[in-house]
Amino acid sequence: MALTPGATLPGVHAITTRLNPVHTPGVPSSGLEVMESEHFRLQCFQTLTGTKFLFFSEPHQPNMEVIIRKVYELYVDYVLKNPFYQNDMPVKCEAFDRHLAAYVKPRQ
């Protein structure tokens, strides 16, 4: 499993910040947050530093917020704290892969 920065997501996210059907003056749109269909659910999680994560799940997957927070916690612990990791590069970290697989596997 590898996390790879996506080239398409920033463009789609920028476009969706302008497509907000209910605009509140003075409040910026957050862009793409959730997209649902009968076949899948796509959820975008954006960190305070602007890093975006896309999560694809079953349409009615419970506790997605908890799962997203845990994956982000693992990312911070094993990727961002890794002195060899470089921003905007594919994530190749065995410790992260192991811990993520151990967390996700019981939920499949």
Side-chain angles (χ1 to χ4, degrees):
M1 184 178 305
L3 292 178
T4 305
T8 305
L9 178 59
V12 170
H13 196 269
I15 290 168
T16 60
T17 61
R18 303 193 190 288
L19 294 176
N20 188 355
V22 181
H23 179 70
T24 305
V27 178
S29 175
S30 59
L32 177 66
E33 291 179 9
V34 176
M35 183 170 65
E36 295 178 323
S37 79
E38 61 186 53
H39 303 290
F40 70 91
R41 175 185 169 113
L42 176 135
Q43 190 159 347
C44 181
F45 170 70
Q46 182 171 335
T47 68
L48 294 175
T49 60
T51 301
K52 297 172 189 76
F53 293 84
L54 288 181
F55 293 87
F56 292 86
S57 66
E58 296 290 326
H60 303 291
Q61 172 70 38
N63 303 318
M64 275 307 294
E65 294 297 325
V66 173
I67 293 168
I68 289 169
R69 291 287 174 191
K70 180 61 178 179
V71 171
Y72 179 63
E73 181 182 305
L74 293 171
Y75 173 76
V76 169
D77 286 345
Y78 296 102
V79 176
L80 293 184
K81 293 179 182 177
N82 180 345
F84 301 107
Y85 173 68
Q86 296 177 358
N87 285 335
D88 297 326
M89 295 300 293
V91 174
K92 295 179 182 176
C93 178
E94 289 181 24
F96 173 72
D97 291 345
R98 271 195 321 272
H99 285 87
L100 181 60
Y103 178 70
V104 172
K105 192 167 213 138
R107 287 162 178 68
Q108 294 179 341

Coordinates of all heavy atoms in Angstrom, one line a residue, residues 37-104:
S37 N -22.5 8.0 -3.9 CA -23.3 7.4 -4.9 C -23.8 6.1 -4.3 O -23.6 5.8 -3.2 CB -22.4 7.1 -6.2 OG -21.7 5.9 -5.9
E38 N -24.6 5.4 -5.1 CA -25.1 4.1 -4.6 C -24.0 3.0 -4.5 O -24.2 2.0 -3.9 CB -26.3 3.6 -5.4 CG -25.9 3.3 -6.9 CD -27.1 3.0 -7.7 OE1 -28.1 3.8 -7.7 OE2 -27.1 1.9 -8.4
H39 N -22.9 3.3 -5.1 CA -21.8 2.3 -5.1 C -20.6 2.6 -4.2 O -19.9 1.7 -3.9 CB -21.3 2.1 -6.6 CG -22.3 1.7 -7.5 ND1 -22.9 0.5 -7.6 CD2 -22.9 2.5 -8.5 CE1 -23.9 0.5 -8.5 NE2 -23.9 1.6 -9.1
F40 N -20.4 3.9 -3.9 CA -19.3 4.2 -3.1 C -19.5 5.6 -2.4 O -20.4 6.3 -2.8 CB -18.0 4.3 -3.9 CG -17.9 5.4 -4.9 CD1 -17.4 6.7 -4.5 CD2 -18.4 5.3 -6.2 CE1 -17.4 7.7 -5.4 CE2 -18.4 6.4 -7.0 CZ -17.9 7.6 -6.6
R41 N -18.6 5.8 -1.5 CA -18.6 7.1 -0.8 C -17.2 7.6 -0.8 O -16.3 6.9 -0.5 CB -19.1 7.0 0.7 CG -19.0 8.3 1.4 CD -19.3 8.1 2.9 NE -19.0 9.2 3.7 CZ -19.9 10.0 4.3 NH1 -21.1 9.7 4.2 NH2 -19.5 11.0 5.0
L42 N -17.0 8.8 -1.3 CA -15.6 9.5 -1.3 C -15.7 10.6 -0.3 O -16.6 11.4 -0.3 CB -15.4 10.0 -2.7 CG -14.1 10.8 -2.9 CD1 -13.3 10.3 -4.1 CD2 -14.3 12.3 -2.9
Q43 N -14.7 10.6 0.5 CA -14.6 11.6 1.6 C -13.2 12.2 1.5 O -12.2 11.5 1.5 CB -14.9 11.1 2.9 CG -15.0 12.1 4.0 CD -15.8 11.6 5.2 OE1 -16.4 10.5 5.2 NE2 -15.8 12.4 6.3
C44 N -13.2 13.6 1.5 CA -11.9 14.3 1.5 C -11.6 14.8 2.9 O -12.5 15.5 3.4 CB -11.9 15.4 0.5 SG -10.4 16.3 0.4
F45 N -10.5 14.6 3.4 CA -10.1 15.1 4.7 C -8.9 16.0 4.4 O -7.9 15.6 3.8 CB -9.7 14.0 5.6 CG -9.0 14.4 6.9 CD1 -9.7 15.1 7.9 CD2 -7.7 14.2 7.1 CE1 -9.1 15.5 9.0 CE2 -7.1 14.6 8.3 CZ -7.8 15.3 9.3
Q46 N -9.0 17.3 4.9 CA -7.9 18.2 4.7 C -7.4 18.6 6.0 O -8.1 19.0 6.9 CB -8.4 19.5 3.9 CG -7.3 20.5 3.7 CD -7.8 21.6 2.8 OE1 -8.7 21.5 2.0 NE2 -7.2 22.8 2.9
T47 N -6.0 18.5 6.2 CA -5.4 18.9 7.4 C -5.2 20.4 7.5 O -5.4 21.1 6.5 CB -4.0 18.2 7.5 OG1 -3.1 18.8 6.6 CG2 -4.1 16.7 7.3
L48 N -4.8 20.8 8.7 CA -4.6 22.3 8.9 C -3.5 22.8 8.0 O -3.4 24.0 7.7 CB -4.3 22.6 10.3 CG -5.5 22.3 11.3 CD1 -5.0 22.5 12.7 CD2 -6.6 23.2 11.0
T49 N -2.5 21.9 7.6 CA -1.4 22.3 6.7 C -1.8 22.2 5.3 O -1.0 22.5 4.4 CB -0.2 21.4 7.0 OG1 -0.5 20.1 6.7 CG2 0.3 21.6 8.4
G50 N -3.0 21.8 4.9 CA -3.4 21.7 3.5 C -3.3 20.4 2.9 O -3.7 20.2 1.7
T51 N -2.7 19.4 3.6 CA -2.6 18.1 3.0 C -4.0 17.4 2.9 O -4.8 17.5 3.9 CB -1.7 17.2 3.9 OG1 -0.4 17.8 4.0 CG2 -1.6 15.8 3.3
K52 N -4.3 16.8 1.8 CA -5.6 16.3 1.6 C -5.5 14.8 1.4 O -4.6 14.2 0.8 CB -6.2 16.9 0.3 CG -6.5 18.3 0.4 CD -6.9 18.9 -0.9 CE -7.0 20.4 -0.9 NZ -5.6 21.0 -1.0
F53 N -6.4 14.1 2.1 CA -6.5 12.6 2.0 C -7.9 12.3 1.4 O -8.9 12.9 1.8 CB -6.5 12.0 3.4 CG -5.2 12.1 4.1 CD1 -4.8 13.2 4.8 CD2 -4.2 11.1 4.0 CE1 -3.6 13.3 5.4 CE2 -3.0 11.2 4.7 CZ -2.7 12.3 5.4
L54 N -7.9 11.3 0.5 CA -9.2 10.8 -0.1 C -9.4 9.4 0.5 O -8.5 8.6 0.4 CB -9.1 10.7 -1.6 CG -9.1 12.0 -2.4 CD1 -9.1 11.8 -3.9 CD2 -10.4 12.8 -2.1
F55 N -10.6 9.2 0.9 CA -11.0 7.9 1.4 C -12.2 7.4 0.6 O -13.2 8.1 0.5 CB -11.4 8.0 2.9 CG -10.3 8.4 3.8 CD1 -9.9 9.7 4.0 CD2 -9.6 7.4 4.4 CE1 -8.8 10.0 4.9 CE2 -8.5 7.7 5.2 CZ -8.1 9.0 5.5
F56 N -12.1 6.2 0.1 CA -13.2 5.6 -0.6 C -13.7 4.5 0.3 O -12.9 3.7 0.8 CB -12.7 5.0 -1.9 CG -12.3 6.1 -2.9 CD1 -11.0 6.6 -2.9 CD2 -13.2 6.5 -3.9 CE1 -10.7 7.6 -3.9 CE2 -12.9 7.5 -4.8 CZ -11.6 8.0 -4.8
S57 N -15.0 4.4 0.4 CA -15.6 3.4 1.3 C -17.0 2.9 0.7 O -17.5 3.5 -0.3 CB -15.8 3.9 2.7 OG -16.8 4.9 2.7
E58 N -17.5 1.9 1.3 CA -18.9 1.5 1.0 C -19.8 2.7 1.3 O -19.5 3.5 2.2 CB -19.3 0.3 1.9 CG -18.5 -0.9 1.6 CD -18.7 -1.5 0.3 OE1 -19.9 -1.5 -0.2 OE2 -17.8 -2.1 -0.3
P59 N -20.9 2.8 0.6 CA -21.8 4.0 0.8 C -22.2 4.2 2.3 O -22.4 5.4 2.7 CB -23.0 3.7 0.0 CG -22.5 2.7 -1.1 CD -21.5 1.9 -0.4
H60 N -22.5 3.2 3.1 CA -23.0 3.4 4.4 C -22.0 2.9 5.5 O -22.4 2.4 6.5 CB -24.3 2.7 4.6 CG -25.3 3.2 3.6 ND1 -25.8 4.5 3.6 CD2 -25.9 2.6 2.5 CE1 -26.7 4.7 2.6 NE2 -26.7 3.6 1.9
Q61 N -20.7 3.0 5.2 CA -19.6 2.6 6.1 C -19.8 3.4 7.4 O -19.7 4.7 7.4 CB -18.3 2.8 5.5 CG -17.1 2.6 6.5 CD -16.9 1.2 6.9 OE1 -17.1 0.3 6.0 NE2 -16.6 0.9 8.1
P62 N -20.0 2.8 8.6 CA -20.1 3.5 9.8 C -18.7 4.0 10.3 O -17.7 3.4 10.0 CB -20.7 2.5 10.8 CG -20.3 1.2 10.3 CD -20.2 1.4 8.7
N63 N -18.7 5.0 11.1 CA -17.5 5.5 11.8 C -16.4 6.0 10.9 O -15.2 5.9 11.3 CB -17.0 4.5 12.8 CG -18.0 4.0 13.8 OD1 -18.8 4.8 14.3 ND2 -18.1 2.7 14.0
M64 N -16.7 6.6 9.8 CA -15.7 7.0 8.9 C -14.8 8.1 9.5 O -13.6 8.2 9.3 CB -16.2 7.5 7.6 CG -16.4 6.4 6.5 SD -15.0 5.4 6.2 CE -13.9 6.5 5.5
E65 N -15.4 9.0 10.3 CA -14.6 10.0 11.0 C -13.6 9.4 11.9 O -12.4 9.9 11.9 CB -15.6 11.0 11.7 CG -16.5 11.8 10.9 CD -15.7 12.7 9.9 OE1 -14.7 13.3 10.3 OE2 -16.2 12.9 8.8
V66 N -13.9 8.4 12.6 CA -13.0 7.7 13.5 C -11.9 7.1 12.7 O -10.7 7.2 13.0 CB -13.7 6.7 14.4 CG1 -12.7 5.9 15.2 CG2 -14.7 7.3 15.3
I67 N -12.2 6.4 11.6 CA -11.2 5.8 10.8 C -10.3 6.8 10.1 O -9.1 6.6 10.1 CB -11.9 4.9 9.7 CG1 -12.7 3.8 10.3 CG2 -11.0 4.5 8.6 CD1 -13.6 3.1 9.4
I68 N -10.8 7.9 9.7 CA -10.0 8.9 9.0 C -9.0 9.5 10.1 O -7.8 9.7 9.8 CB -10.9 10.0 8.4 CG1 -11.6 9.5 7.2 CG2 -10.1 11.3 8.1 CD1 -12.7 10.4 6.7
R69 N -9.5 9.8 11.2 CA -8.6 10.4 12.3 C -7.5 9.4 12.6 O -6.4 9.8 12.8 CB -9.4 10.7 13.5 CG -10.3 11.9 13.4 CD -9.6 13.2 13.3 NE -10.5 14.2 13.0 CZ -10.2 15.4 12.6 NH1 -8.9 15.7 12.6 NH2 -11.0 16.3 12.3
K70 N -7.8 8.1 12.7 CA -6.8 7.1 13.0 C -5.8 7.0 11.9 O -4.5 6.9 12.2 CB -7.4 5.7 13.3 CG -6.5 4.6 13.7 CD -5.7 5.0 14.9 CE -4.7 3.8 15.3 NZ -4.0 4.1 16.5
V71 N -6.2 7.0 10.7 CA -5.3 6.9 9.5 C -4.4 8.2 9.5 O -3.1 8.1 9.3 CB -6.0 6.8 8.2 CG1 -5.1 6.9 7.0 CG2 -6.7 5.4 8.1
Y72 N -4.9 9.3 9.8 CA -4.1 10.5 9.9 C -3.1 10.5 11.0 O -2.0 10.9 10.9 CB -5.0 11.8 10.0 CG -4.2 13.0 10.2 CD1 -3.4 13.5 9.1 CD2 -4.3 13.8 11.3 CE1 -2.7 14.6 9.2 CE2 -3.6 15.0 11.4 CZ -2.8 15.4 10.4 OH -2.0 16.5 10.5
E73 N -3.6 9.9 12.2 CA -2.7 9.8 13.3 C -1.5 8.8 12.9 O -0.3 9.1 13.3 CB -3.4 9.2 14.5 CG -2.7 8.9 15.7 CD -3.5 8.3 16.8 OE1 -4.6 8.9 17.1 OE2 -3.1 7.2 17.3
L74 N -1.8 7.7 12.3 CA -0.7 6.8 11.8 C 0.2 7.5 10.8 O 1.5 7.4 10.9 CB -1.3 5.6 11.2 CG -2.0 4.6 12.1 CD1 -2.8 3.6 11.3 CD2 -1.1 4.0 13.1
Y75 N -0.3 8.3 9.9 CA 0.5 9.1 9.0 C 1.4 10.0 9.7 O 2.6 10.1 9.3 CB -0.5 9.9 8.0 CG 0.2 10.8 7.1 CD1 0.8 10.3 5.9 CD2 0.1 12.2 7.3 CE1 1.5 11.2 5.0 CE2 0.7 13.1 6.4 CZ 1.4 12.6 5.3 OH 2.0 13.5 4.4
V76 N 0.9 10.8 10.7 CA 1.8 11.7 11.4 C 2.8 10.9 12.2 O 4.0 11.3 12.1 CB 0.9 12.5 12.4 CG1 1.8 13.3 13.4 CG2 0.0 13.5 11.6
D77 N 2.5 9.9 12.8 CA 3.4 9.1 13.7 C 4.5 8.4 12.8 O 5.7 8.4 13.3 CB 2.7 8.1 14.5 CG 1.9 8.7 15.7 OD1 2.2 9.9 16.0 OD2 1.1 8.0 16.3
Y78 N 4.2 7.9 11.7 CA 5.1 7.0 11.0 C 5.7 7.7 9.7 O 6.7 7.2 9.2 CB 4.5 5.7 10.7 CG 4.3 4.9 11.9 CD1 3.0 4.9 12.5 CD2 5.3 4.4 12.7 CE1 2.7 4.2 13.6 CE2 5.0 3.7 13.9 CZ 3.7 3.6 14.3 OH 3.5 3.0 15.5
V79 N 5.0 8.7 9.2 CA 5.5 9.3 7.9 C 6.1 10.7 8.2 O 7.3 10.9 8.0 CB 4.4 9.4 6.9 CG1 4.9 10.1 5.6 CG2 3.9 8.0 6.5
L80 N 5.3 11.6 8.8 CA 5.8 12.9 9.1 C 7.0 13.0 10.1 O 7.8 13.9 10.0 CB 4.7 13.8 9.5 CG 3.6 14.1 8.4 CD1 2.6 15.1 9.0 CD2 4.2 14.6 7.1
K81 N 7.0 12.0 11.0 CA 8.1 12.0 12.0 C 9.3 11.3 11.5 O 10.3 11.2 12.2 CB 7.6 11.4 13.3 CG 6.6 12.3 14.0 CD 6.1 11.7 15.3 CE 5.0 12.6 15.9 NZ 4.5 12.0 17.1
N82 N 9.2 10.7 10.3 CA 10.3 10.0 9.7 C 11.3 11.0 9.1 O 10.9 11.8 8.2 CB 9.8 9.1 8.6 CG 10.9 8.3 7.9 OD1 12.0 8.6 8.0 ND2 10.5 7.3 7.1
P83 N 12.5 11.1 9.5 CA 13.5 12.1 9.0 C 13.8 11.9 7.6 O 14.4 12.8 7.0 CB 14.7 11.9 9.9 CG 14.6 10.5 10.4 CD 13.1 10.2 10.5
F84 N 13.6 10.8 7.0 CA 13.9 10.5 5.6 C 12.8 10.8 4.6 O 13.0 10.8 3.4 CB 14.4 9.1 5.4 CG 15.5 8.7 6.2 CD1 15.4 7.9 7.3 CD2 16.8 9.2 5.9 CE1 16.5 7.6 8.1 CE2 17.9 8.9 6.7 CZ 17.7 8.1 7.8
Y85 N 11.6 11.1 5.1 CA 10.4 11.5 4.3 C 10.6 12.9 3.7 O 11.0 13.8 4.4 CB 9.1 11.3 5.0 CG 7.9 11.8 4.2 CD1 7.5 11.1 3.1 CD2 7.3 13.0 4.5 CE1 6.5 11.6 2.3 CE2 6.2 13.4 3.8 CZ 5.8 12.7 2.7 OH 4.8 13.2 1.9
Q86 N 10.3 13.0 2.4 CA 10.3 14.3 1.8 C 8.9 14.7 1.4 O 8.2 13.8 0.7 CB 11.2 14.3 0.6 CG 12.7 14.1 0.9 CD 13.5 14.0 -0.3 OE1 13.0 14.1 -1.4 NE2 14.8 13.9 -0.1
N87 N 8.4 15.9 1.7 CA 7.1 16.3 1.3 C 6.9 16.2 -0.2 O 7.8 16.3 -1.0 CB 6.9 17.8 1.7 CG 6.6 17.9 3.2 OD1 6.2 17.0 3.8 ND2 6.9 19.1 3.7
D88 N 5.7 15.9 -0.6 CA 5.3 15.8 -2.0 C 5.9 14.7 -2.8 O 6.0 14.6 -4.0 CB 5.5 17.1 -2.8 CG 4.7 18.3 -2.2 OD1 3.6 18.0 -1.8 OD2 5.2 19.4 -2.3
M89 N 6.4 13.7 -2.0 CA 6.9 12.5 -2.6 C 6.1 11.3 -2.2 O 5.4 11.4 -1.2 CB 8.4 12.2 -2.1 CG 9.4 13.3 -2.5 SD 9.5 13.5 -4.3 CE 10.3 11.9 -4.8
P90 N 6.0 10.2 -3.0 CA 5.2 9.0 -2.6 C 5.7 8.6 -1.2 O 6.9 8.6 -0.9 CB 5.6 8.0 -3.7 CG 6.0 8.8 -4.8 CD 6.7 10.0 -4.3
V91 N 4.7 8.1 -0.4 CA 5.0 7.6 0.9 C 5.4 6.2 0.8 O 4.7 5.3 0.4 CB 3.8 7.8 1.8 CG1 4.0 7.1 3.2 CG2 3.4 9.2 2.0
K92 N 6.7 5.9 1.2 CA 7.2 4.6 1.3 C 7.8 4.4 2.6 O 9.0 4.7 2.9 CB 8.3 4.4 0.2 CG 7.7 4.5 -1.2 CD 8.8 4.3 -2.3 CE 8.2 4.5 -3.7 NZ 9.3 4.5 -4.7
C93 N 7.0 3.9 3.5 CA 7.4 3.7 4.9 C 6.8 2.4 5.4 O 5.6 2.2 5.6 CB 6.9 4.9 5.7 SG 7.2 4.8 7.5
E94 N 7.7 1.4 5.6 CA 7.2 0.1 6.0 C 6.5 0.1 7.4 O 5.5 -0.6 7.5 CB 8.4 -0.9 6.1 CG 9.0 -1.2 4.8 CD 10.1 -2.2 4.9 OE1 10.2 -2.9 5.9 OE2 11.0 -2.2 3.9
A95 N 6.9 0.9 8.3 CA 6.2 1.0 9.6 C 4.8 1.5 9.4 O 3.9 1.0 10.0 CB 7.0 1.8 10.6
F96 N 4.6 2.5 8.6 CA 3.3 3.0 8.3 C 2.4 2.0 7.7 O 1.3 1.7 8.1 CB 3.4 4.3 7.4 CG 2.0 4.8 7.0 CD1 1.2 5.4 7.8 CD2 1.7 4.6 5.7 CE1 -0.1 5.9 7.4 CE2 0.4 5.1 5.2 CZ -0.4 5.7 6.1
D97 N 3.0 1.3 6.7 CA 2.2 0.3 5.9 C 1.8 -0.8 6.9 O 0.6 -1.3 6.8 CB 3.1 -0.4 4.8 CG 3.3 0.6 3.7 OD1 2.6 1.6 3.6 OD2 4.2 0.3 2.9
R98 N 2.7 -1.3 7.8 CA 2.3 -2.4 8.7 C 1.2 -1.9 9.7 O 0.3 -2.7 9.9 CB 3.6 -2.7 9.6 CG 4.4 -3.8 9.0 CD 5.4 -4.4 10.0 NE 6.0 -3.4 10.9 CZ 7.1 -2.7 10.7 NH1 7.8 -2.8 9.5 NH2 7.6 -1.8 11.6
H99 N 1.4 -0.7 10.3 CA 0.4 -0.3 11.2 C -1.0 0.0 10.6 O -2.0 -0.3 11.1 CB 0.9 0.9 12.0 CG 1.9 0.6 13.0 ND1 3.3 0.5 12.7 CD2 1.8 0.3 14.3 CE1 3.9 0.2 13.8 NE2 3.1 0.0 14.8
L100 N -0.9 0.6 9.4 CA -2.2 0.8 8.6 C -2.9 -0.5 8.3 O -4.1 -0.6 8.5 CB -1.9 1.6 7.4 CG -3.1 2.0 6.5 CD1 -4.1 2.8 7.3 CD2 -2.7 2.7 5.3
A101 N -2.1 -1.5 7.8 CA -2.7 -2.8 7.5 C -3.3 -3.4 8.7 O -4.4 -4.0 8.7 CB -1.6 -3.7 6.8
A102 N -2.6 -3.3 9.8 CA -3.1 -3.9 11.1 C -4.4 -3.2 11.5 O -5.3 -3.9 12.1 CB -2.0 -3.8 12.2
Y103 N -4.5 -1.9 11.3 CA -5.7 -1.2 11.7 C -6.9 -1.5 10.7 O -8.0 -1.7 11.2 CB -5.4 0.3 11.7 CG -6.6 1.1 12.0 CD1 -7.2 1.1 13.3 CD2 -7.2 1.9 11.1 CE1 -8.3 1.8 13.6 CE2 -8.4 2.6 11.4 CZ -8.9 2.6 12.7 OH -10.0 3.3 13.0
V104 N -6.6 -1.6 9.4 CA -7.6 -1.7 8.4 C -8.1 -3.2 8.3 O -9.3 -3.4 8.2 CB -7.2 -1.2 7.1 CG1 -8.2 -1.5 6.0 CG2 -6.9 0.3 7.1

